[in-house]
Amino acid sequence: MLTYVLRRLFIAIPTLLLISVVIFFLVDLAPGSPASEIPLTVPPEVRAKILESLGVNAPFHVRYLLWLKQFFWVEPMYAIDYLFGTDYAQGAQRIISYSSRSPVFNIIIERLPQTLTVIGTAYAVAILIALPIGIYSAYRQYSWVDQLGTFVSMVGYSVPTFFTGVVLIVIFAVKLQWFPSIYDTTLRITDWGSLWKQIHQMILPVAVLGLYNAAEISRYTRSSMLENLSQDYVRTARAKGMSERVVVLKHVARNSMIPVVTIIALGLPGVFGGAIVTEQVFKINGIGAALIGAIHANDLPMVQTITFITAILIVTFNLIADILYGVLDPRIRYD
Amino acid sequence: MKMRTALLGAAALVAFAPAAFAERGADGHVNVLYWQAPSTLNAYLSSGTKDVEVGSLVLEGLAGFNEKGEVIPRLVESIPTVENGGVSADLKQITWKLKPGLLWSDGTAVTSKDAKFTYEYCTHPDGGCAQAARYEGIASIETPDDLTVVINFTDPKPNPYTAFVGATSPILQAAQFANCLGAAASTCTEQNFKPIGTGPFKVVDFKVNDVVQLEANPNYRDPAKPAFATMTVKGGGDAQAAARAVMETGEFDYAWNTQINPEQQEQMAAGGKGVFLNGYGTLVERVEMNLTDPSPDLAEGERSTTKHPHPFLTDIRVRKALSMAIDRQTLVDIGYGKAGRATCNLVPAPELYASANTDCIAQDIEGAKALLDEAGWKDTDGDGIRDKDGKKLHILYQTSVNPVRQDFQAVIKSWWESIGVEVELKQVDASVFFGGDAGSPDTFQKFYADVEMYANNFDGTDPEPYLAQYLCDKIPGPDNQWQGENINRFCDPAYDALVKELSVTADMAKRGEIAKKLNEMLTKDSYVVVPLVDRGRLSAASNTLGGAVLNTWDSELWNASDWYRIK
């Protein structure tokens, strides 16, 4: 198992390097320039100076290697300095965003809390709803619960979040005025009152994202359960006189979890990467909003760094999913 | 009768409110929404309006502009002029006198050294100062004493109100920014996000592109202001959501730049929780004519250059006909509603410089047709498109991707087709169109099209640099990396001479006269620039927010110190 994990980690290094080159190329070659953010009232000479000071004019490979060094060497040193109060970095140049002229990692850290709370909660809620619905609707196939579950998940899956988000805002924030339409990132939870306020402002975005994620997970759970329910071992278990509860929840559910775990694990990087649309709609200003803002502003260091972190997370969670298979199904061995 | 009394009472209360609650911080909290969130508060590192305006709550210039475009004192006793001796007779020197006893928000004294430092900060050769244009033409800055700033210009400067005037040219605290000169500017994150200023508010917390929390500056020069103790400037979402948060849900007190279509404007106004504020500056949406040949048959490096004049747009009758076919009021109704008005001027304001030219307002399809006939463009083969010497009257019309611009393109195309001009439309992503990349064929400077549409304005109240963009030597081309501003490739020696005259004229009335003439030379005398809509600013203010006055000449938050809560 350990050798397997080590081997996978080793293979991940060239994969990630390749990904970083591709992302850098794509973002760099994409049409558009940070200059488009500078208003036309700024004279061309001044414009040229601004671009020069951003470092946009350096050749591609220089910028890429600099970024690589900053990402894997300078930034970790700053992190160590921050954690242990040392001074290894010695003021080395960090990855600086074009639009705010501040370190990209500071912005990411500033934005992680709201992304993790809102998107993470939505994901947890989605799993908690989706699993029971998926299991029950497979067990009682074509019952009204199954029909309702199918309907809701079809709606949840096919209606985009920019639509459900705006509809919920118009109904619950504008017409009924029950919930705020704008998320307050400055709220500090200090007592019950502020905790309630936090929950209050999270309800709409969590509902939108939760519905979307739950739809997907419940469909996978249901189909996987259906496949297992008709297997021989289920008949054997029942013949042995096991209760339905044990048959469904212990034998069938566990065996059905493999595809579900993959789906859940592969969705997790999205929790860190944020949900671009939902964050925009509810003004949550997390990682997703930072990414889309950076894309609009042609803020290359920001786009590159966020997408690369997402790539790392995807590779990591793929590995975690693979390891979890072995835990769930003892027949799978990685030796 | 009772109703009337009650209303009068309410009106009286509103009128006396600022006087009655004239105490700093008495009105609690105010929420402001900038849907494009501020990325920095240091105007010298960003030319974005959002950054400059939010920064203006903290950092101020020596003087500013009011909503009429007049220069008003902020940190100085009075505005120096030639009459009061503050500006030398040869227009090469201006002397500003600071108010005595001014303090930064950290309690230290504001001195003339800070102004001099700010000049050095922005003009440092290794820095990319976004507002460098405000400090152009300065030979030296002297500080004879702590309260006197003397600026010496290299040449006579008829408009000396550039350096240290307005939100784009604020004074930085020398002590705070001492280590941030030149290339070090971007390492000063703490300073750029939490500048120490003289403005009505000071920064408590700054989250990039998300939210700024401010509190009343304890050392603000007017002890009774600001009325609000704290302020939050939140960002995120889009213009429509921002308008909704003020006009419909009432969550916010003020929303910046709520530019939405006329239909939505009416819908939101029906929400009843706020009002739209509008003001007109100098932003004009226009169609620009290419006087050179953009034909793809020409070699790269010769396309759209002065080597090849345009086959038909060099004929003023064709340009005029195209202008006459446009109904500008319809364009306003489609795209801007309350936030726009039809115009024929390139310089629509300030009043002193705005020509009374309204020739183009009335649409005249028949006149346009007659003019094209006269120019020799006739439909000889009966296909509905005019032709001359075997060439069809075909126009490639480009603009940036933007819903309003695409509506305009479609409508204008139909008008031009009705006078027998074949129109091909092209849209370019805004980040490419305005990106200025010399390697891209789609930038507005390269102008590989016959006509193109976009909006432009000028910074401050003086149109001289703006009108000087149309000089012969500012024509973009391969030799200057396509960086010129004269994108029409207009070249008229008489125009150049008049711009030169403007640059040495100090008398305001005379300046106005020359600017009007220059404006007319580009518009109604030549139709090289065809202005369409004078685009105003549209922002939303809650009914409970008092004192908000939209100012298009300075920061929109220029008078945030005077804001108060209507109770």
Side-chain angles (χ1 to χ4, degrees):
Chain A
M1 189 66 149
L2 187 70
T3 24
Y4 173 75
V5 173
L6 284 176
R7 203 175 66 226
R8 281 286 297 269
L9 283 176
F10 193 70
I11 298 172
I13 294 172
T15 315
L16 284 173
L17 274 180
L18 191 69
I19 292 174
S20 75
V21 177
V22 170
I23 297 174
F24 210 93
F25 244 113
L26 278 180
V27 181
D28 196 63
L29 292 181
S33 136
S36 64
E37 288 297 295
I38 305 171
L40 297 181
T41 48
V42 175
E45 315 84 72
V46 179
R47 182 180 291 261
K49 275 224 121 166
I50 296 173
L51 293 178
E52 181 72 44
S53 74
L54 289 175
V56 210
N57 297 336
F60 176 82
H61 61 275
V62 174
R63 276 181 294 134
Y64 175 70
L65 291 177
L66 181 66
W67 175 84
L68 214 57
K69 179 190 153 203
Q70 287 168 339
F71 191 95
F72 288 105
W73 183 247
V74 180
E75 292 293 342
M77 282 202 296
Y78 271 100
I80 293 169
D81 289 352
Y82 178 77
L83 291 174
F84 304 109
T86 51
D87 186 26
Y88 291 124
Q90 313 232 332
Q93 176 78 46
R94 305 182 63 177
I95 305 176
I96 300 280
S97 143
Y98 286 167
S99 60
S100 67
R101 307 274 188 110
S102 69
V104 168
F105 272 87
N106 286 6
I107 304 174
I108 292 175
I109 288 165
E110 209 169 77
R111 286 176 167 238
L112 257 185
Q114 49 261 38
T115 294
L116 287 185
T117 36
V118 179
I119 320 285
T121 312
Y123 210 64
V125 166
I127 296 171
L128 288 178
I129 296 174
L131 289 184
I133 290 180
I135 293 172
Y136 190 82
S137 48
Y139 185 61
R140 290 262 180 264
Q141 202 185 0
Y142 306 129
S143 66
W144 68 268
V145 176
D146 184 26
Q147 306 285 11
L148 186 74
T150 308
F151 175 74
V152 172
S153 46
M154 278 305 148
V155 171
Y157 201 59
S158 49
V159 180
T161 47
F162 63 78
F163 182 76
T164 37
V166 173
V167 167
L168 288 190
I169 285 181
V170 168
I171 297 175
F172 292 105
V174 177
K175 295 274 177 278
L176 299 173
Q177 309 236 336
W178 288 355
F179 302 107
S181 70
I182 292 171
Y183 186 89
D184 178 9
T185 47
T186 60
L187 187 68
R188 297 270 164 278
I189 299 169
T190 49
D191 50 13
W192 292 110
S194 54
L195 178 67
W196 166 240
K197 250 184 141 174
Q198 174 65 17
I199 295 172
H200 192 224
Q201 67 172 349
M202 276 169 61
I203 289 178
L204 287 186
V206 165
V208 168
L209 269 180
L211 177 70
Y212 183 76
N213 287 323
E216 190 184 13
I217 299 170
S218 73
R219 293 312 288 171
Y220 275 98
T221 314
R222 180 179 176 274
S223 65
S224 176
M225 284 289 289
L226 280 176
E227 204 177 295
N228 274 288
L229 275 169
S230 57
Q231 301 254 335
D232 289 345
Y233 74 86
V234 179
R235 199 178 337 136
T236 313
R238 282 187 176 134
K240 284 199 295 185
M242 287 178 162
S243 67
E244 279 298 290
R245 194 187 161 81
V246 173
V247 170
V248 175
L249 293 182
K250 203 162 170 203
H251 294 264
V252 182
R254 182 165 172 180
N255 278 306
S256 314
M257 278 305 122
I258 289 183
V260 179
V261 162
T262 318
I263 292 299
I264 293 177
L266 290 186
L268 276 176
V271 173
F272 293 90
I276 293 178
V277 173
T278 316
E279 287 191 1
Q280 279 291 93
V281 170
F282 292 97
K283 277 72 83 184
I284 295 169
N285 291 346
I287 306 274
L291 179 60
I292 193 72
I295 293 173
H296 280 312
N298 288 295
D299 188 348
L300 193 137
M302 189 91 184
V303 177
Q304 167 77 356
T305 308
I306 295 180
T307 37
F308 188 61
I309 291 176
T310 315
I312 295 180
L313 289 172
I314 290 173
V315 170
T316 317
F317 279 98
N318 258 312
L319 182 61
I320 292 176
D322 283 351
I323 296 169
L324 276 180
Y325 289 167
V327 176
L328 284 167
D329 187 347
R331 283 171 303 182
I332 299 175
R333 280 280 161 267
Y334 299 112
D335 289 324
Chain B
M1 195 60 202
K2 256 189 190 154
M3 187 63 184
R4 192 184 145 83
T5 324
L7 281 177
L8 276 176
L13 204 67
V14 169
F16 290 112
F21 303 108
E23 188 189 333
R24 178 178 293 158
D27 283 354
H29 187 76
V30 61
N31 278 314
V32 177
L33 190 59
Y34 264 64
W35 57 270
Q36 283 182 6
S39 313
T40 179
L41 293 184
N42 183 352
Y44 294 112
L45 290 188
S46 169
S47 37
T49 321
K50 60 191 176 90
D51 304 321
V52 171
E53 295 200 347
V54 179
S56 78
L57 291 167
V58 178
L59 296 169
E60 295 175 302
L62 296 176
F65 297 100
N66 66 9
E67 76 276 17
K68 294 186 202 95
E70 297 155 353
V71 185
I72 51 161
R74 285 192 190 273
L75 302 180
V76 290
E77 297 274 10
S78 61
I79 301 300
T81 56
V82 177
E83 289 78 55
N84 66 20
V87 177
S88 67
D90 64 355
L91 306 177
K92 288 176 84 166
Q93 191 184 62
I94 181 167
T95 307
W96 296 92
K97 286 268 182 208
L98 284 168
K99 283 181 189 163
L102 282 177
L103 295 179
W104 292 99
S105 60
D106 66 354
T108 56
V110 179
T111 70
S112 53
K113 305 264 183 325
D114 294 306
K116 186 166 182 193
F117 171 81
T118 304
Y119 162 71
E120 284 160 4
Y121 176 89
C122 188
T123 51
H124 195 284
D126 298 335
C129 179
Q131 312 297 351
R134 310 275 316 170
Y135 296 96
E136 215 169 275
I138 295 180
S140 68
I141 292 189
E142 291 159 37
T143 51
D145 62 61
D146 275 358
L147 298 180
T148 313
V149 183
V150 182
I151 307 176
N152 297 307
F153 298 106
T154 45
D155 296 302
K157 194 114 167 160
N159 172 35
Y161 310 116
T162 52
F164 311 128
V165 182
T168 50
S169 177
I171 307 277
L172 300 176
Q173 192 195 39
Q176 194 192 17
F177 281 87
N179 296 322
C180 304
L181 286 166
S186 63
T187 61
C188 290
T189 308
E190 179 71 16
Q191 286 88 335
N192 297 332
F193 288 177
K194 292 182 185 169
I196 293 168
T198 53
F201 291 93
K202 66 177 214 175
V203 191
V204 177
D205 191 24
F206 181 92
K207 288 186 176 173
V208 183
N209 292 340
D210 177 18
V211 69
V212 192
Q213 284 175 287
L214 305 119
E215 65 180 23
N217 173 1
N219 295 312
Y220 189 58
R221 56 187 173 273
D222 184 338
K225 288 174 181 175
F228 287 108
T230 50
M231 176 188 272
T232 301
V233 182
K234 167 82 178 170
D238 51 31
Q240 193 187 344
R244 184 184 296 130
V246 171
M247 308 290 287
E248 292 191 319
T249 70
E251 289 166 86
F252 278 77
D253 296 303
Y254 188 88
W256 160 85
N257 196 12
T258 50
Q259 201 70 263
I260 49 177
N261 68 42
E263 201 181 320
Q264 287 170 332
Q265 286 173 22
E266 267 174 47
Q267 247 175 46
M268 298 266 181
K273 294 219 155 117
V275 285
F276 282 116
L277 306 174
N278 64 346
Y280 290 96
T282 56
L283 188 64
V284 172
E285 186 82 28
R286 78 288 287 280
V287 166
E288 304 261 13
M289 306 272 173
N290 192 347
L291 299 181
T292 59
D293 192 354
S295 163
D297 303 336
L298 294 171
E300 196 57 34
E302 304 221 335
R303 263 183 100 175
S304 283
T305 62
T306 41
K307 279 189 191 153
H308 304 275
H310 196 279
F312 54 84
L313 284 179
T314 38
D315 184 343
I316 183 176
R317 289 170 297 189
V318 177
R319 299 197 298 262
K320 187 171 181 189
L322 292 175
S323 172
M324 284 163 79
I326 297 171
D327 180 0
R328 289 161 175 80
Q329 191 51 46
T330 304
L331 293 177
V332 171
D333 297 340
I334 295 172
Y336 295 100
K338 277 179 86 172
R341 56 187 179 195
T343 187
C344 301
N345 283 327
L346 181 64
V347 178
E351 221 181 307
L352 174 66
Y353 301 106
S355 156
N357 164 26
T358 52
D359 295 5
C360 72
I361 300 290
Q363 186 188 26
D364 184 3
I365 297 277
E366 290 315 310
K369 284 182 182 165
L371 211 53
L372 287 176
D373 284 338
E374 187 196 317
W377 290 93
K378 294 200 171 87
D379 184 11
T380 54
D381 52 5
D383 64 351
I385 301 160
R386 290 170 190 269
D387 51 84
K388 183 174 163 184
D389 309 330
K391 274 204 74 162
K392 297 227 176 273
L393 193 52
H394 174 94
I395 283 182
L396 176 61
Y397 173 13
Q398 74 175 8
T399 188
S400 69
V401 175
N402 166 316
V404 176
R405 294 210 170 117
Q406 266 73 79
D407 285 350
F408 277 25
Q409 270 189 318
V411 181
I412 293 176
K413 179 183 172 164
S414 71
W415 287 325
W416 285 352
E417 280 175 347
S418 74
I419 59 168
V421 179
E422 189 179 31
V423 183
E424 186 187 336
L425 300 181
K426 180 177 168 186
Q427 296 88 27
V428 184
D429 187 81
S431 68
V432 177
F433 193 62
F434 298 113
D437 177 5
S440 165
D442 293 324
T443 64
F444 80 99
Q445 290 103 331
K446 269 214 177 146
F447 207 166
Y448 285 177
D450 301 296
V451 300
E452 66 184 1
M453 176 171 71
Y454 63 90
N456 198 355
N457 61 335
F458 55 92
D459 185 26
T461 51
D462 180 42
E464 188 190 319
Y466 187 57
L467 289 165
Q469 291 179 354
Y470 294 88
L471 294 175
C472 295
D473 63 356
K474 295 217 172 140
I475 294 177
D479 46 325
N480 57 15
Q481 297 303 306
W482 302 92
Q483 290 310 316
E485 293 152 313
N486 183 354
I487 64 119
N488 313 70
R489 285 77 164 141
F490 171 81
C491 186
D492 181 351
Y495 186 89
D496 281 25
L498 207 52
V499 169
K500 200 155 191 177
E501 195 187 328
L502 180 64
S503 71
V504 292
T505 308
D507 179 54
M508 288 315 265
K510 191 89 211 307
R511 283 179 75 76
E513 227 170 86
I514 299 176
K516 281 180 192 169
K517 179 78 192 115
L518 289 169
N519 169 67
E520 284 168 11
M521 285 171 89
L522 293 168
T523 55
K524 76 169 184 182
D525 297 347
S526 70
Y527 296 93
V528 166
V529 179
V530 175
L532 302 175
V533 179
D534 177 7
R535 285 171 53 184
R537 285 275 196 105
L538 190 71
S539 292
S542 157
N543 289 335
T544 65
L545 180 71
V549 177
L550 194 62
N551 182 343
T552 54
W553 306 107
D554 203 333
S555 160
E556 244 179 61
L557 306 173
W558 69 294
N559 72 338
S561 57
D562 300 335
W563 288 7
Y564 59 91
R565 179 69 64 200
I566 298 171
K567 299 215 169 86

